[in-house]
Amino acid sequence: MAKTKGALKILDRVTGNSDSIKAGIAAARANLEVAQMIYDARTKAGLSQSELAALIGSKQPVIARLEDADYEGHAL
């Protein structure tokens, strides 16, 4: 079998036509995009995680989880 080099082709081959796996991949991608947007905005503003948390009435570990895209199982 010829090796596939495209990441999307590899994922399609591994996951097959599983809608639940495709939905999980889409959700993970969305979480990563949101995490990156939060990090980019915070660093552009020159804020630490603690400073951002204080501004929004939260705590630093919440900002860390958001930036790590660690949403599942945690109360934000």
Side-chain angles (χ1 to χ4, degrees):
M1 178 189 324
K3 291 187 177 184
T4 302
K5 295 183 181 181
L8 293 177
K9 288 181 182 179
I10 292 170
L11 282 174
D12 282 343
R13 188 176 71 222
V14 171
T15 62
N17 285 330
S18 172
D19 289 336
S20 64
I21 291 176
K22 289 180 182 180
I25 291 169
R29 182 178 179 162
N31 287 349
L32 284 171
E33 289 174 359
V34 169
Q36 188 65 52
M37 288 173 26
I38 293 168
Y39 172 82
D40 290 345
R42 178 181 64 77
T43 56
K44 184 177 180 180
L47 297 171
S48 68
Q49 289 180 344
S50 295
E51 291 168 329
L52 175 57
L55 286 172
I56 66 168
S58 189
K59 299 196 181 290
Q60 180 275 328
V62 172
I63 304 303
R65 285 193 307 268
L66 288 171
E67 290 182 357
D68 288 340
D70 186 13
Y71 304 123
E72 294 184 34
H74 297 286
L76 299 177

